[in-house]
Amino acid sequence: MSVLVYVENQDGKFRNAAFEALSFGNAIATSLGTGMIACSIGKVSDEELKCAGKYGASVILSASPELINPQVCSGILSKAAVSEKATVVIVPASFFGKAVAPRVAVKLKAAYGDNVVELPQMSSGFIVKKGAYSGKAFEYVELLSEVKVISLVPNSFKMVEKPVEIVIKTVDATVSDPEKALKVIDTVRNTNKVSLPDAEIVVSAGRGLKGPENWGMIEELASVLGAATACSKPVSDAGWRPHSEHVGQTGIAISPNLYIAIGISGAIQHLAGVSNSKVIVVINKDPEAPFFKAADYGIVGDAFEVVPKLIEAAKKFKAAGN
Amino acid sequence: MKILVCISNVPDTTAKINFSPDNKNFISSGVTFILNPYDEIALSKALDIATASAGTVTVIHVGDASTEPTIRKALAIGAHDAVRVNADPRDALFVASQIAACVKSDSYDLILCGRESSDHNSSSVPVMLAELLGLPCVLFAKSLTLEGNTAKMDNEIAGGKEVVSCTLPLVVCASEGMAEWKIPNMRGIMSARTKPLRVVDAVEVPVLSLITGYDKPAARSTVKLIPADAAGELFDTLRAEKKII
Ligand SMILES: Cc1cc2nc3c(=O)[nH]c(=O)nc-3n(C[C@H](O)[C@H](O)[C@H](O)COP(=O)(O)OP(=O)(O)OC[C@H]3O[C@@H](n4cnc5c(N)ncnc54)[C@H](O)[C@@H]3O)c2cc1C
Ligand SMILES: Nc1ncnc2c1ncn2[C@@H]1O[C@H](COP(=O)(O)O)[C@@H](O)[C@H]1O
């Protein structure tokens, strides 16, 4: 028996979501009294591979296929799960992980617990908790098969260091012809920007900002705080901001530690995607804005006066070594 | 070009979600159900492609007879015909297996889904479907263009996008931006009543998971207001009271 964790990398570096998955996996392995094995796919240096040992993996399997797509990765992971006799396979619920994990479940004839937000209940059965109804509820799902596949929502489980000696094992990764149909031609990353689903702090703005020309202060506040930027749906519909920034029921659902909403009214569809944020701060000039009912902290005021003050304060806060 | 669009029937986006007192069951009474917003984008794109290629669009839904208004809505928007697998869509593997069975008996060049349903939010039906059919799947497609037998898509990834190309057949899931929502016109609504809607029985699928209950997010305590002229204190307050920054 073992717990197998997919450690996803981006350009050869493991992402926080991977270390969270390892920390989560390690807690499950400890409860089950088994060991934890990591699996990395893609070109990653030995030094980086060893980082998985910091979070409790005693073995890391490393595969470098000629081409990477969800079909290829799910093939490698399910083979690893079989050879390592894994009973729990954990994949970060990142964009890529979500395209991989359900395939692994089908290949292994395993139950799939998607978008899990906390440790499973394992006292009787194996029950996971996941987000449902676009942030309005949680669903508890019992996974009945012997082997279980879980995807873990980024930012929902804290990284816990537990250094152990780690062994690197290279595994075979031949790609079959049918797996070659899907090719990535180009990758475009928004440079210097924090990715929205992984972000610990998100600064978001809505129609209250009046127009795209006013986003400079939103970007500045985000950059001082090391935050990602987001927006409400009408803002992306109007083309003021890209669709990839739109959060809510029909956009991205996020669960950062801090969500700062500026000039957003707090419509139910918007709240659906952001209500799992740990702390919500709302800035709106209308004291009756519904968002204040869903906020931890509120500032009633004009964004064009309040945000510059926040930028100054954030700079001071950071300069003071915070 | 034969296109299949998988549609789900979900609570209206403004619906209040309620459960039975023991938190075991979702209470559907009083809730209006709609076509999942992402599936509507997928349908819209499918219709554009079909119009350009003299193709057909079939919609498929796994659900009981109460979901027929949603299927008729898809027909009113412009789908040519519909299939309903008559069963409770109990989990993603079950739904994907039903659709896979239909696709095996009636093949399609392109299968479109939404990136996630707004009730289960799992993004797993399309991926499982693709796996069962041995097809590639692009899960977060923000755009889709076809050139002959090759599809080109912008797929969302952490902190950006990737441009991917793939030969048909494949499964593509619609994100915001892929197409504009279409509003059904009077002719569409009238003709939807008579368009073919085939009801088929479900195939058997092993039960691997079971929903055991629900829960709601903990209510937030009442908002703490910070005066606008003291806005600068926000970060020190967050540090002192919440330790999140
Ligand atoms: C099917 C469906 C799905 C939807 N999905 C989503 C979704 O995923 N995400 C989403 O966000 N919305 C979604 N919506 C839209 C949603 O209903 C709201 O229309 C939207 O969230 C409102 O955006 P907003 O708050 O930016 O704009 P508004 O509602 O116009 O609010 C602007 C706010 O800014 C405040 N304001 C104005 N000027 C200032 C100023 N100078 N300083 C400070 N505050 C100011 C105003 O008081 C107001 O509260 C959806 C709607 C539907 C029907
Ligand atoms: N009951 C269903 N019948 C047909 N298609 C479905 C059903 N449920 C989900 N889908 C499709 O799968 C997508 C993702 O749903 P989900 O995996 O539930 O997040 C939806 O956007 C639909 O395209």
Side-chain angles (χ1 to χ4, degrees):
Chain A
M1 273 200 350
S2 69
V3 171
L4 181 75
V5 177
Y6 170 47
V7 283
E8 186 181 356
N9 75 79
Q10 182 173 315
D11 307 325
K13 292 269 172 240
F14 292 136
R15 313 185 51 223
N16 275 357
F19 296 133
E20 289 165 8
L22 283 171
S23 308
F24 181 81
N26 194 52
I28 295 179
T30 307
S31 305
L32 296 175
T34 66
M36 178 170 68
I37 292 162
C39 181
S40 160
I41 302 172
K43 286 202 176 56
V44 178
S45 69
D46 281 4
E47 197 189 347
E48 186 70 12
L49 288 173
K50 283 186 184 147
C51 290
K54 267 197 232 158
Y55 298 90
S58 54
V59 176
I60 183 158
L61 308 174
S62 172
S64 306
E66 52 179 298
L67 168 155
I68 293 185
N69 66 35
Q71 270 172 299
V72 170
C73 290
S74 61
I76 293 169
L77 280 173
S78 40
K79 270 192 210 141
V82 172
S83 66
E84 300 301 328
K85 300 190 174 54
T87 51
V88 182
V89 179
I90 298 161
V91 175
S94 59
F95 289 107
F96 189 72
K98 286 184 188 189
V100 170
R103 288 186 183 270
V104 177
V106 170
K107 285 189 159 84
L108 296 174
K109 298 192 169 27
Y112 177 44
D114 64 88
N115 297 289
V116 168
V117 295
E118 64 182 38
L119 279 177
Q121 266 162 247
M122 291 181 285
S123 46
S124 70
F126 192 105
I127 299 175
V128 294
K129 178 178 179 180
K130 61 154 287 185
Y133 295 101
S134 302
K136 294 176 191 170
F138 294 103
E139 213 171 78
Y140 292 90
V141 183
E142 180 161 14
L143 307 183
L144 303 164
S145 53
E146 196 198 337
V147 179
K148 288 121 185 138
V149 177
I150 291 177
S151 65
L152 176 70
V153 172
N155 240 324
S156 54
F157 195 81
K158 275 216 160 50
M159 292 187 263
V160 188
E161 290 203 15
K162 189 180 169 277
V164 294
E165 272 301 308
I166 184 163
V167 181
I168 301 173
K169 282 192 203 164
T170 309
V171 298
D172 168 56
T174 35
V175 177
S176 73
D177 273 342
E179 291 172 339
K180 287 181 188 158
L182 182 87
K183 290 191 184 72
V184 177
I185 309 170
D186 194 12
T187 302
V188 186
R189 283 203 214 275
N190 316 328
T191 41
N192 302 329
K193 282 198 113 184
V194 182
S195 135
L196 187 52
D198 301 330
E200 287 178 17
I201 305 179
V202 174
V203 178
S204 183
R207 211 144 52 174
L209 270 258
K210 312 282 187 280
E213 66 281 4
N214 296 325
W215 248 263
M217 61 180 188
I218 302 299
E219 302 236 337
E220 187 178 359
L221 179 59
S223 118
V224 177
L225 293 171
T229 49
C231 67
S232 66
K233 177 170 156 50
V235 164
S236 62
D237 284 347
W240 297 358
R241 300 296 292 174
H243 276 302
S244 52
E245 282 198 0
H246 152 204
V247 290
Q249 174 136 22
T250 47
I252 295 179
I254 52 171
S255 48
N257 290 341
L258 175 60
Y259 183 69
I260 305 181
I262 303 163
I264 300 177
S265 57
I268 187 162
Q269 298 98 344
H270 185 86
L271 297 181
V274 304
S275 60
N276 286 331
S277 307
K278 290 184 190 80
V279 174
I280 296 181
V281 176
V282 167
I283 298 153
N284 196 305
K285 69 174 183 189
D286 174 9
E288 301 298 321
F291 217 149
F292 285 119
K293 294 208 173 64
D296 300 283
Y297 296 91
I299 301 176
V300 179
D302 187 331
F304 296 96
E305 286 161 24
V306 174
V307 176
K309 277 190 202 154
L310 290 182
I311 294 172
E312 282 316 302
K315 281 184 181 158
K316 275 196 205 134
F317 185 75
K318 290 285 169 188
N322 287 302
Chain B
M1 176 86 53
K2 268 184 76 186
I3 307 171
L4 182 70
V5 181
C6 306
I7 58 171
S8 55
N9 179 56
V10 298
D12 174 39
T13 53
T14 57
K16 293 252 183 318
I17 301 301
N18 290 306
F19 303 108
S20 57
D22 63 0
N23 271 336
K24 293 240 183 284
N25 297 296
F26 169 69
I27 307 284
S28 62
S29 71
V31 174
T32 312
F33 282 81
I34 59 164
L35 179 55
N36 186 38
Y38 288 122
D39 304 354
E40 230 179 298
I41 299 175
L43 175 59
S44 205
K45 186 72 203 185
L47 292 168
D48 291 343
I49 297 172
T51 308
S53 67
T56 57
V57 176
T58 301
V59 291
I60 186 164
H61 173 66
V62 182
D64 64 23
S66 72
T67 64
E68 289 202 359
T70 293
I71 301 175
R72 292 283 172 206
K73 166 92 187 281
L75 291 170
I77 295 172
H80 300 92
D81 60 350
V83 178
R84 179 171 67 81
V85 180
N86 187 28
D88 168 33
R90 67 168 196 248
D91 65 17
L93 179 67
F94 180 84
V95 172
S97 303
Q98 303 309 324
I99 302 172
C102 293
V103 173
K104 276 178 188 154
S105 66
D106 197 7
S107 70
Y108 292 89
D109 303 302
L110 180 63
I111 301 174
L112 283 165
C113 295
R115 64 183 271 176
E116 70 175 59
S117 60
S118 66
D119 48 2
H120 296 297
N121 310 127
S122 78
S123 305
S124 33
V125 168
V127 184
M128 288 184 174
L129 171 64
E131 179 65 27
L132 291 167
L133 296 171
L135 295 180
C137 172
V138 176
L139 187 52
F140 299 104
K142 293 138 67 94
S143 71
L144 166 63
T145 51
L146 289 175
E147 274 169 43
N149 201 31
T150 304
K152 232 176 146 183
M153 291 138 289
D154 280 348
N155 185 39
E156 191 160 356
I157 56 170
K161 64 170 188 187
E162 56 186 15
V163 183
V164 297
S165 95
C166 189
T167 48
L168 302 184
L170 88 152
V171 178
V172 183
C173 307
S175 262
E176 281 265 302
M178 184 191 270
E180 296 290 327
W181 287 340
K182 287 190 184 7
I183 295 157
N185 57 25
M186 208 52 207
R187 219 182 84 215
I189 295 168
M190 298 303 286
S191 67
R193 293 188 199 151
T194 52
K195 282 182 179 172
L197 194 174
R198 199 155 49 89
V199 179
V200 300
D201 288 330
V203 294
E204 260 186 59
V205 179
V207 182
L208 300 184
S209 71
L210 205 68
I211 297 176
T212 58
Y214 299 92
D215 200 354
K216 286 210 190 167
R220 280 176 204 272
S221 50
T222 45
V223 61
K224 187 162 175 179
L225 290 178
I226 298 175
D229 44 16
E233 287 162 24
L234 176 68
F235 302 107
D236 293 311
T237 309
L238 289 173
R239 159 62 60 87
E241 297 180 2
K242 300 284 180 183
K243 302 190 175 53
I244 47 147
I245 186 167

